[in-house]
Amino acid sequence: MKIVVAVGGSIIIKENSHEKFKDYADVLRSMNDEHKLFIVVGGGKPAREYIGIARDLGVSEAACDDIGIDVTRLNAKLLIMALGEDAYPKVAKNFHEAMEFSVSGKIVVMGGTEPAHSTDAVSSILAEFVNADLLINATSVDGLYDKDPNKHDDAKMFEKITPAEMMSILSSKETKAGTYEFFDSTAIQIIKRSKIKTRIVNGNHAENIQKAVSSEIGTTIVHD
Amino acid sequence: MKIVVAVGGSIIIKENSHEKFKDYADVLRSMNDEHKLFIVVGGGKPAREYIGIARDLGVSEAACDDIGIDVTRLNAKLLIMALGEDAYPKVAKNFHEAMEFSVSGKIVVMGGTEPAHSTDAVSSILAEFVNADLLINATSVDGLYDKDPNKHDDAKMFEKITPAEMMSILSSKETKAGTYEFFDSTAIQIIKRSKIKTRIVNGNHAENIQKAVSSEIGTTIVHD
Amino acid sequence: MKIVVAVGGSIIIKENSHEKFKDYADVLRSMNDEHKLFIVVGGGKPAREYIGIARDLGVSEAACDDIGIDVTRLNAKLLIMALGEDAYPKVAKNFHEAMEFSVSGKIVVMGGTEPAHSTDAVSSILAEFVNADLLINATSVDGLYDKDPNKHDDAKMFEKITPAEMMSILSSKETKAGTYEFFDSTAIQIIKRSKIKTRIVNGNHAENIQKAVSSEIGTTIVHD
Amino acid sequence: MKIVVAVGGSIIIKENSHEKFKDYADVLRSMNDEHKLFIVVGGGKPAREYIGIARDLGVSEAACDDIGIDVTRLNAKLLIMALGEDAYPKVAKNFHEAMEFSVSGKIVVMGGTEPAHSTDAVSSILAEFVNADLLINATSVDGLYDKDPNKHDDAKMFEKITPAEMMSILSSKETKAGTYEFFDSTAIQIIKRSKIKTRIVNGNHAENIQKAVSSEIGTTIVHD
Amino acid sequence: MKIVVAVGGSIIIKENSHEKFKDYADVLRSMNDEHKLFIVVGGGKPAREYIGIARDLGVSEAACDDIGIDVTRLNAKLLIMALGEDAYPKVAKNFHEAMEFSVSGKIVVMGGTEPAHSTDAVSSILAEFVNADLLINATSVDGLYDKDPNKHDDAKMFEKITPAEMMSILSSKETKAGTYEFFDSTAIQIIKRSKIKTRIVNGNHAENIQKAVSSEIGTTIVHD
Amino acid sequence: MKIVVAVGGSIIIKENSHEKFKDYADVLRSMNDEHKLFIVVGGGKPAREYIGIARDLGVSEAACDDIGIDVTRLNAKLLIMALGEDAYPKVAKNFHEAMEFSVSGKIVVMGGTEPAHSTDAVSSILAEFVNADLLINATSVDGLYDKDPNKHDDAKMFEKITPAEMMSILSSKETKAGTYEFFDSTAIQIIKRSKIKTRIVNGNHAENIQKAVSSEIGTTIVHD
């Protein structure tokens, strides 16, 4: 199966620890024989810190995005290091490179691509570009909720949701570099137009990536 | 003034004629002494034709976008040819290149950047990235309408509109490579988050680009 | 066997149809297990149209060639799309890239390389560069004729011809971007200096590519 | 005057604050009319953190250096952002790019280049490569000491020192990614072989960069 | 005036001496204020030596050309070094780069571009690409002769010659990497199709380059 | 076993002969099934000649190094040609490319990387970067001596030596482009910090490369 995995930066790079990189590498390596894997890594805390400095310097939001993208590529490089010989040794900078690198049969790892594209958007476009059979989105909570579950006790997780429902939830929200919602509108539209099978899972446990391949954990985006 | 101009492909490349390229080159050249110019060119009919072949071959929507982007770059190269010594001689492939090329003081011309980004989105991100004072969007009609003016006699053009109003108009529409709406949601969100002064004008008359710098022709996107 | 195939643009891109791309992909795919394949694709009608606009803009012949080359690469990308997993996913821009991409074991597809080199020249240099065992040139007629068979009823096709004979036929002809003869002098000289086994066949039937491997169809360039 | 300035990462990126970037930008901008400037930025704390994760993942020292270099480039990009229009908008990745970018007349900013080269080494090679009139090295203390002044009260700062004296001080020390001494041996050898006028100053005060151009502050490396 | 100068390798790199590089740099520098200069440098003896080793290793003629091109770029780099600040600091690898580099206002220097293109061909295509007013070809003899003047006492130099006459002289000659004739057929065809004003002069005296701008020394290629 | 081999230019390119390239290619090809090979080729006489011209032109030592690096890449290309299908067809320009190219399973060949890095330094960093099991350094004499064995009859070859001992021998020596000692200090420091198993052998006999894998010929650098 061809699988694209998006791993939020806040999941994989924690307190300057290498452990989540190692966990993810172990799980992905075990999946590599059976599946063709593409991983998109987010920026997390270091990205927010660099974006913070950039914003204090008064640069544009696009420039803030831009330095955030550089940090996602640093994180992607760490995952490549953790994967060792199983990964293609270079971070893919765009979708063309991801396609090229995958010819090697190695796991392809990338970060962001360009301003105004969140990790969600990048992973959904990548899934479309490579005709992935499954898109797995690893976030810091168990799935997609109707409101932020860290702030609201009554937040309700969707087991299934359609892109149209997602769009209506997202409407009237603001986009600011480094503080994207679970899914920006671009990602949803891509998933919708190509009916990409998508699962949003709790990425704090790397093994959920493997589980998401066969079982319906977390939130599954369904198409009519 | 730093100005980004988006020129729809259907505007500039018509019936294999060089005339609109020449018209635009004349107008842009006359503005070049006073302003710093960045031009984003769309794909038009040749893009639709290439996308049509690609789609018939059964490739993904992202791959359709991708070949459409290549055509926008062909069109951008034609505009560079028309501009001669006034243009930087290479098509910028991304926002970084656009920044770099502009150091030369020449007019910078680019096409699309990557899948899922329409000409609208590219031009708005570019405007944000370079801190443009004005974004001019040259379309095939007089401005932004509440519905397609080519199909509906009672379509009403907005003289002023807010990004929020644009979002509500756009909601519940589909995105398909080569058939984007006037403004995709990414573009609107960018314009909104950075309060970019934006004017949508009738690009069938190249001189409207010059007019849009000083007068409120077409539709102006306003911010609170 | 290592085989270079040149496919004229007028052969493969017809009336915006995907069919010839599909036909060629089917034939090439079937040959891919047994042979190492490099394909050079020409520009055809879209190239002539873009060159026409460029020429109307008053640019140099080299610049006309240049935009024509961009179109050949668009066509090459379509063939890659048609070939899917059997093709290396990126159009080779020069001979070095063709060499590199072929390490993958995939079919390598390219368009033109630089001004003043026709598809014929590119394919012959490529054949020399990769030490091809056979160069197949797919044209719109059955082989190489003493005059244009579309204009002259008494045009005579050569079953065999030497490079020296070709040179004498070509002498005193003009070269203009987009209107090259069957074989420009560079191509002939390359074929001559490296005694490249070459066959010119009717490319309107994709299966002729396969036939040309084993049987003497069309025109064969022979060496002393 | 052509001046290369090396700014240690620990100097410029402190507690995720933008202030030192701003300070440096102000000073460098004021010097830009009169001098041709090249800045080499180090990695600092974020580099040490990323290197720490990489080392925990068990990669080689060269790979640790490599990710540290990526962080120096992030810091270099922040300085470019702070400099705005006065800087060339892209981080130079090697000495050739630094040369090319300087043609623009803008301030050129770079980070590291490749493993086993500290910021000191990069700046000295750059100074040699561009025939700089002066190399200024901004460190966290007032100059070059006979021992670590943060640990030893009796550490003595050299007002003048020769490369030979530096070499003898450095001998019998270890090199580990991210924990280089004030000057690695490569840097000293370069400064020696090309007799580069070099001054080591306290970079905690950005204005020392300007002072170092005309007055003998800090430590000056002298040649026989 | 926009001028392209082709300097044969045998002219500029002699007995490992730097003198001709210095001579040419002096002359070109003196012309740089008044003219826009593009220089194409050939391979000479070092190219022949490297090609010799490559041929002994049994590689193709195209591969021989390829390593010869690398040597022309080495020679081009030496000329850039001799020109110092007056030259763009990087060797242009193709015509696009030459165009880009010339935006800087510096002298652009390049070597070969790709197999099967002699220095003559490269310089003529470049002249066409940049719309040069004059192409000067510096060879080891006084101009273009009816036969090799080094071997034949009765060799006659043409003061004027047409491309058609050149073609007839060249017909029935062989092309082998590193042993091209004065003008390969590609070069002549380019000069012909774009009616490029061309002068072939004795390059052993660098000042002939300057003389060729205003006076009819050597051989002048004339157009009807 | 993963093996990095450094081959001095004076070893492999002699009197413009292809023979040593062929010898090395034969030996390396025979080792390729069992081992993963990376080769670093030096500059030799052609490098010294080009550096000589550059130095006469008055450029910096770094610029001299730079043109020397270009020559090492020419030599690397010749070795690639000699290796044919067993080598990756492109010279790696840096350590990242070497990593990428090795994914192909082919022998990777490179020359120098940047100024101030001798062939020794490049090969030791490469060995560290790819986690090589063995670094073999092919020189013009039998191993590492206490003084130049070509000048001193009583020069004594070390069978074993530690990095610390090497450092003390090297101290108080000068570095000048093209005239590096057996091991520059960077190389020794790298070998020391990563305890790289290293063997220095007589490269005049290509088969010594193969012997060095299993037997202790030449000088072995030992770690505590």
Side-chain angles (χ1 to χ4, degrees):
Chain A
M1 206 185 272
K2 202 181 278 181
I3 303 172
V4 171
V5 182
V7 187
S10 58
I11 298 296
I12 206 163
I13 186 160
K14 281 190 162 158
E15 305 294 322
N16 298 322
S17 161
H18 73 293
E19 282 181 28
K20 286 296 172 191
F21 288 101
K22 198 179 161 306
D23 289 354
Y24 269 85
D26 288 345
V27 168
L28 295 171
R29 207 182 282 116
S30 75
M31 297 167 68
N32 194 26
D33 278 348
E34 206 176 342
H35 304 291
K36 200 168 185 70
L37 299 169
F38 297 80
I39 320 299
V40 181
V41 181
K45 186 159 165 274
R48 281 192 301 277
E49 289 174 350
Y50 268 99
I51 289 171
I53 300 175
R55 191 170 283 128
D56 286 344
L57 288 169
V59 303
S60 70
E61 286 297 310
C64 288
D65 280 12
D66 183 59
I67 205 154
I69 289 166
D70 284 347
V71 178
T72 63
R73 289 175 180 157
L74 269 181
N75 296 345
K77 187 177 272 194
L78 285 177
L79 183 55
I80 286 173
M81 286 174 170
L83 283 163
E85 304 266 316
D86 289 85
Y88 191 83
K90 192 175 167 188
V91 176
K93 293 209 165 181
N94 51 52
F95 307 108
H96 289 122
E97 285 191 3
M99 283 283 272
E100 265 196 279
F101 295 175
S102 77
V103 171
S104 67
K106 304 278 186 180
I107 299 175
V108 175
V109 187
M110 68 190 294
T113 56
E114 56 173 46
H117 271 181
S118 67
T119 305
D120 294 339
V122 170
S123 58
S124 62
I125 300 172
L126 179 58
E128 197 185 52
F129 205 73
V130 302
N131 289 310
D133 302 293
L134 179 64
L135 167 61
I136 302 173
N137 196 295
T139 71
S140 58
V141 289
D142 284 347
L144 199 57
Y145 288 78
D146 58 351
K147 33 190 158 175
D148 188 337
N150 294 314
K151 294 181 186 160
H152 303 276
D153 281 351
D154 63 339
K156 178 183 148 288
M157 193 189 93
F158 299 96
E159 290 202 359
K160 290 186 193 310
I161 191 167
T162 66
E165 289 167 332
M166 292 170 78
M167 279 308 286
S168 68
I169 291 172
L170 274 193
S171 62
S172 73
K173 293 197 177 176
E174 282 207 353
T175 304
K176 240 189 166 184
T179 61
Y180 285 105
E181 298 300 317
F182 271 175
F183 269 90
D184 64 10
S185 53
T186 302
I188 301 172
Q189 282 169 350
I190 298 297
I191 289 169
K192 187 182 179 189
R193 78 174 181 181
S194 291
K195 297 181 189 298
I196 300 168
K197 188 177 167 184
T198 306
R199 212 155 267 163
I200 298 132
V201 302
N202 190 327
N204 290 313
H205 309 286
E207 60 273 20
N208 281 343
I209 303 304
Q210 197 157 23
K211 285 183 193 161
V213 177
S214 46
S215 32
E216 296 217 342
I217 64 169
T219 297
T220 301
I221 302 179
V222 294
H223 304 278
D224 311 319
Chain B
M1 205 185 272
K2 202 180 278 182
I3 304 171
V4 171
V5 183
V7 187
S10 58
I11 298 296
I12 207 163
I13 187 160
K14 281 189 163 159
E15 304 295 322
N16 297 322
S17 161
H18 72 294
E19 282 181 28
K20 286 297 172 191
F21 288 100
K22 199 180 161 304
D23 289 355
Y24 268 85
D26 289 344
V27 168
L28 295 170
R29 208 182 282 117
S30 75
M31 297 168 67
N32 195 26
D33 278 346
E34 207 176 341
H35 304 292
K36 202 168 183 69
L37 300 168
F38 298 80
I39 320 299
V40 181
V41 181
K45 186 158 164 273
R48 281 192 301 278
E49 290 173 350
Y50 269 99
I51 289 170
I53 300 176
R55 191 169 284 128
D56 286 344
L57 288 169
V59 302
S60 70
E61 286 298 310
C64 288
D65 280 11
D66 182 58
I67 205 154
I69 289 165
D70 284 347
V71 178
T72 64
R73 288 175 181 157
L74 269 182
N75 296 345
K77 188 176 271 194
L78 285 178
L79 183 55
I80 286 173
M81 286 175 171
L83 284 163
E85 304 266 315
D86 289 85
Y88 191 83
K90 192 175 166 188
V91 177
K93 293 210 167 182
N94 51 52
F95 306 108
H96 289 122
E97 285 192 2
M99 283 284 270
E100 267 196 277
F101 295 174
S102 77
V103 171
S104 67
K106 305 278 186 180
I107 301 173
V108 175
V109 187
M110 68 190 294
T113 56
E114 54 175 47
H117 272 182
S118 68
T119 305
D120 294 338
V122 170
S123 58
S124 61
I125 301 172
L126 179 59
E128 197 186 53
F129 205 72
V130 302
N131 289 310
D133 303 292
L134 179 63
L135 168 60
I136 302 172
N137 197 295
T139 70
S140 59
V141 288
D142 284 347
L144 199 57
Y145 288 79
D146 58 351
K147 34 190 157 174
D148 189 338
N150 294 315
K151 294 181 185 159
H152 303 276
D153 281 350
D154 63 339
K156 180 184 147 286
M157 192 189 93
F158 300 95
E159 290 204 358
K160 290 186 193 310
I161 192 168
T162 65
E165 289 167 332
M166 291 169 79
M167 279 308 284
S168 67
I169 291 172
L170 274 193
S171 62
S172 72
K173 293 199 177 176
E174 282 206 353
T175 302
K176 239 188 167 186
T179 61
Y180 285 106
E181 298 300 316
F182 273 172
F183 269 90
D184 65 9
S185 52
T186 302
I188 300 172
Q189 283 169 349
I190 298 297
I191 288 169
K192 187 183 181 188
R193 78 174 181 180
S194 291
K195 297 182 189 299
I196 301 168
K197 189 177 165 184
T198 306
R199 213 154 267 161
I200 297 130
V201 302
N202 190 329
N204 289 313
H205 309 285
E207 60 274 19
N208 280 343
I209 303 304
Q210 197 157 23
K211 284 182 192 160
V213 176
S214 47
S215 30
E216 297 216 343
I217 64 169
T219 298
T220 301
I221 302 178
V222 294
H223 304 279
D224 310 320
Chain C
M1 206 186 272
K2 202 179 277 182
I3 303 172
V4 171
V5 182
V7 187
S10 58
I11 297 297
I12 205 162
I13 187 161
K14 281 191 164 158
E15 304 294 322
N16 297 322
S17 161
H18 71 292
E19 282 182 29
K20 287 296 171 191
F21 288 100
K22 199 178 162 306
D23 289 354
Y24 269 85
D26 289 344
V27 168
L28 295 170
R29 207 182 283 116
S30 75
M31 296 167 68
N32 194 25
D33 278 348
E34 206 177 344
H35 304 291
K36 201 168 185 69
L37 298 169
F38 297 80
I39 320 298
V40 180
V41 180
K45 187 158 164 274
R48 280 192 303 277
E49 288 174 350
Y50 269 99
I51 290 170
I53 300 175
R55 191 168 284 127
D56 286 345
L57 288 169
V59 303
S60 69
E61 287 297 310
C64 288
D65 280 11
D66 183 58
I67 205 155
I69 289 166
D70 284 348
V71 178
T72 62
R73 287 173 181 158
L74 270 181
N75 296 345
K77 188 177 271 194
L78 285 177
L79 183 55
I80 286 173
M81 287 174 169
L83 284 163
E85 304 266 315
D86 290 86
Y88 191 83
K90 192 175 167 189
V91 176
K93 293 210 167 182
N94 51 51
F95 306 108
H96 289 122
E97 286 192 2
M99 282 283 271
E100 265 196 279
F101 296 175
S102 76
V103 171
S104 66
K106 304 278 186 181
I107 300 174
V108 175
V109 187
M110 68 190 294
T113 56
E114 56 174 45
H117 271 180
S118 67
T119 305
D120 294 338
V122 170
S123 58
S124 61
I125 300 172
L126 179 59
E128 196 184 54
F129 205 71
V130 302
N131 288 311
D133 302 295
L134 178 64
L135 167 60
I136 302 173
N137 197 294
T139 71
S140 59
V141 288
D142 285 347
L144 199 59
Y145 288 77
D146 58 351
K147 35 190 158 174
D148 189 337
N150 294 314
K151 293 180 186 161
H152 303 275
D153 281 351
D154 62 338
K156 180 184 146 287
M157 193 190 93
F158 299 96
E159 292 203 357
K160 292 186 193 308
I161 192 168
T162 65
E165 288 166 336
M166 292 170 79
M167 280 307 285
S168 67
I169 291 172
L170 274 193
S171 62
S172 74
K173 292 197 178 176
E174 281 206 353
T175 305
K176 239 185 166 188
T179 60
Y180 287 104
E181 298 300 317
F182 273 173
F183 269 89
D184 64 10
S185 53
T186 302
I188 301 171
Q189 282 168 350
I190 298 298
I191 289 169
K192 187 182 179 189
R193 78 174 180 180
S194 292
K195 296 182 190 298
I196 301 168
K197 187 176 166 183
T198 306
R199 213 155 267 164
I200 297 131
V201 302
N202 190 328
N204 289 313
H205 309 285
E207 61 273 20
N208 280 342
I209 304 304
Q210 197 157 24
K211 282 182 193 162
V213 177
S214 46
S215 30
E216 296 216 344
I217 65 168
T219 297
T220 301
I221 302 179
V222 293
H223 304 280
D224 311 320
Chain D
M1 205 186 270
K2 202 180 278 180
I3 303 172
V4 170
V5 183
V7 187
S10 57
I11 298 295
I12 206 161
I13 187 160
K14 281 190 162 158
E15 305 294 322
N16 297 323
S17 161
H18 73 293
E19 283 180 29
K20 287 295 173 193
F21 287 101
K22 200 181 160 305
D23 289 354
Y24 268 85
D26 288 343
V27 168
L28 295 171
R29 208 182 281 115
S30 76
M31 297 168 68
N32 195 24
D33 278 348
E34 207 177 343
H35 305 291
K36 200 167 186 69
L37 299 168
F38 297 80
I39 320 300
V40 180
V41 181
K45 185 158 164 275
R48 280 192 302 276
E49 290 174 349
Y50 269 99
I51 289 171
I53 301 175
R55 191 169 283 126
D56 286 345
L57 287 169
V59 304
S60 70
E61 286 298 309
C64 287
D65 280 11
D66 183 57
I67 205 154
I69 289 166
D70 284 346
V71 178
T72 64
R73 288 175 181 157
L74 269 181
N75 296 345
K77 189 177 271 194
L78 285 177
L79 182 56
I80 286 173
M81 286 174 170
L83 284 163
E85 303 267 315
D86 290 85
Y88 191 83
K90 192 175 166 188
V91 176
K93 293 210 166 181
N94 52 51
F95 306 108
H96 289 121
E97 285 192 1
M99 282 284 270
E100 266 196 279
F101 294 175
S102 77
V103 171
S104 67
K106 305 277 186 182
I107 300 174
V108 175
V109 187
M110 68 189 294
T113 56
E114 56 175 44
H117 271 180
S118 67
T119 306
D120 294 338
V122 170
S123 58
S124 61
I125 300 172
L126 179 59
E128 196 185 54
F129 205 71
V130 301
N131 288 310
D133 301 295
L134 180 63
L135 168 60
I136 301 173
N137 197 295
T139 71
S140 58
V141 289
D142 285 347
L144 199 58
Y145 288 78
D146 58 349
K147 34 191 157 175
D148 189 337
N150 295 314
K151 293 181 187 160
H152 303 276
D153 282 350
D154 62 338
K156 178 183 147 290
M157 192 189 94
F158 299 96
E159 291 202 0
K160 291 185 192 310
I161 192 168
T162 64
E165 289 167 333
M166 292 170 78
M167 280 308 285
S168 68
I169 291 172
L170 274 193
S171 62
S172 73
K173 294 198 177 176
E174 280 206 354
T175 304
K176 237 185 169 190
T179 61
Y180 286 106
E181 299 301 317
F182 273 173
F183 268 89
D184 65 10
S185 53
T186 302
I188 300 172
Q189 281 167 350
I190 298 296
I191 289 169
K192 187 181 179 189
R193 78 174 181 180
S194 292
K195 297 181 189 300
I196 300 169
K197 189 177 165 182
T198 306
R199 211 154 268 164
I200 297 131
V201 302
N202 190 327
N204 290 314
H205 310 285
E207 60 274 20
N208 280 343
I209 304 302
Q210 197 156 24
K211 284 183 193 161
V213 177
S214 46
S215 30
E216 296 216 344
I217 64 168
T219 297
T220 300
I221 302 178
V222 293
H223 304 279
D224 312 318
Chain E
M1 205 186 273
K2 200 180 280 180
I3 304 172
V4 171
V5 183
V7 187
S10 58
I11 298 296
I12 207 163
I13 187 160
K14 281 189 162 159
E15 304 293 323
N16 298 321
S17 161
H18 72 294
E19 282 181 28
K20 287 296 171 191
F21 287 101
K22 199 179 161 304
D23 289 354
Y24 267 85
D26 289 344
V27 168
L28 295 170
R29 208 181 282 115
S30 75
M31 297 167 68
N32 195 25
D33 278 347
E34 207 176 342
H35 304 292
K36 202 167 184 69
L37 299 169
F38 296 80
I39 320 299
V40 181
V41 181
K45 186 158 164 275
R48 281 193 300 278
E49 289 174 349
Y50 268 98
I51 289 171
I53 300 176
R55 192 168 283 127
D56 285 346
L57 288 169
V59 303
S60 71
E61 286 299 308
C64 288
D65 280 11
D66 183 58
I67 205 155
I69 289 166
D70 284 347
V71 178
T72 62
R73 288 173 181 159
L74 269 181
N75 296 345
K77 187 176 271 195
L78 285 177
L79 182 56
I80 286 173
M81 287 174 169
L83 284 163
E85 303 267 316
D86 289 86
Y88 191 84
K90 192 175 166 189
V91 176
K93 293 209 167 182
N94 52 52
F95 306 108
H96 289 123
E97 285 193 1
M99 282 285 270
E100 267 196 277
F101 295 175
S102 76
V103 171
S104 67
K106 305 278 187 181
I107 300 174
V108 175
V109 188
M110 68 190 294
T113 56
E114 55 176 44
H117 271 181
S118 67
T119 306
D120 294 338
V122 170
S123 58
S124 60
I125 300 172
L126 179 59
E128 196 184 54
F129 205 71
V130 301
N131 288 311
D133 302 293
L134 179 63
L135 167 61
I136 302 172
N137 196 296
T139 69
S140 58
V141 288
D142 285 346
L144 200 57
Y145 288 78
D146 57 351
K147 35 191 157 173
D148 189 337
N150 295 315
K151 292 183 187 159
H152 303 275
D153 282 350
D154 63 339
K156 179 183 148 286
M157 192 189 93
F158 299 96
E159 291 203 358
K160 292 186 193 309
I161 192 169
T162 66
E165 289 167 332
M166 291 170 80
M167 279 309 284
S168 67
I169 291 172
L170 274 193
S171 62
S172 73
K173 293 197 177 177
E174 280 207 354
T175 304
K176 239 188 167 186
T179 60
Y180 286 105
E181 298 301 316
F182 272 172
F183 269 89
D184 65 10
S185 53
T186 302
I188 301 172
Q189 282 167 352
I190 298 296
I191 289 170
K192 187 182 179 187
R193 78 176 181 180
S194 292
K195 298 182 190 296
I196 301 168
K197 188 177 166 183
T198 306
R199 213 154 267 162
I200 298 130
V201 303
N202 190 329
N204 289 314
H205 310 285
E207 61 273 20
N208 281 344
I209 303 303
Q210 197 157 22
K211 284 183 192 160
V213 177
S214 47
S215 30
E216 296 216 344
I217 63 168
T219 298
T220 301
I221 302 179
V222 294
H223 304 278
D224 311 319
Chain F
M1 205 185 273
K2 202 180 278 182
I3 303 171
V4 170
V5 182
V7 187
S10 57
I11 297 298
I12 206 163
I13 187 160
K14 282 190 162 157
E15 305 293 323
N16 297 321
S17 160
H18 72 293
E19 283 182 27
K20 287 295 172 191
F21 288 100
K22 199 180 162 302
D23 288 355
Y24 268 84
D26 288 344
V27 168
L28 295 170
R29 206 181 283 115
S30 75
M31 297 167 69
N32 194 27
D33 278 348
E34 206 176 343
H35 305 292
K36 203 169 183 66
L37 299 169
F38 297 79
I39 320 299
V40 180
V41 181
K45 186 159 164 272
R48 281 192 302 277
E49 289 174 350
Y50 268 98
I51 289 171
I53 301 176
R55 191 169 283 128
D56 286 345
L57 288 169
V59 303
S60 70
E61 286 298 310
C64 288
D65 280 13
D66 183 58
I67 205 154
I69 289 166
D70 284 347
V71 178
T72 62
R73 288 174 181 158
L74 269 181
N75 296 345
K77 187 176 272 193
L78 285 178
L79 182 56
I80 286 173
M81 287 173 169
L83 284 162
E85 303 267 315
D86 289 86
Y88 192 83
K90 193 175 165 188
V91 176
K93 293 210 167 181
N94 51 52
F95 306 108
H96 289 123
E97 285 191 2
M99 283 283 271
E100 266 196 278
F101 296 175
S102 77
V103 171
S104 66
K106 305 277 186 180
I107 300 174
V108 175
V109 187
M110 67 190 295
T113 56
E114 55 175 46
H117 271 180
S118 66
T119 305
D120 293 339
V122 170
S123 58
S124 61
I125 300 172
L126 179 59
E128 197 184 53
F129 205 73
V130 301
N131 289 311
D133 302 294
L134 179 63
L135 167 60
I136 301 173
N137 196 295
T139 70
S140 58
V141 288
D142 284 347
L144 200 58
Y145 288 78
D146 57 352
K147 35 190 156 175
D148 189 336
N150 294 313
K151 293 181 187 160
H152 303 275
D153 281 352
D154 63 338
K156 179 184 149 286
M157 192 188 94
F158 298 96
E159 290 203 359
K160 291 185 194 308
I161 192 168
T162 66
E165 289 166 333
M166 291 170 80
M167 279 309 284
S168 67
I169 292 172
L170 273 194
S171 63
S172 73
K173 295 199 177 177
E174 282 207 354
T175 304
K176 240 188 166 187
T179 61
Y180 286 104
E181 298 301 317
F182 272 173
F183 269 89
D184 65 9
S185 52
T186 303
I188 300 172
Q189 282 168 351
I190 298 297
I191 289 169
K192 187 182 180 188
R193 78 176 181 179
S194 291
K195 297 183 190 297
I196 300 168
K197 188 176 165 184
T198 306
R199 212 154 268 163
I200 297 132
V201 303
N202 190 328
N204 289 314
H205 309 286
E207 61 273 20
N208 280 343
I209 303 304
Q210 198 156 21
K211 284 183 191 160
V213 177
S214 46
S215 30
E216 296 216 344
I217 64 168
T219 297
T220 300
I221 302 179
V222 293
H223 304 279
D224 310 320

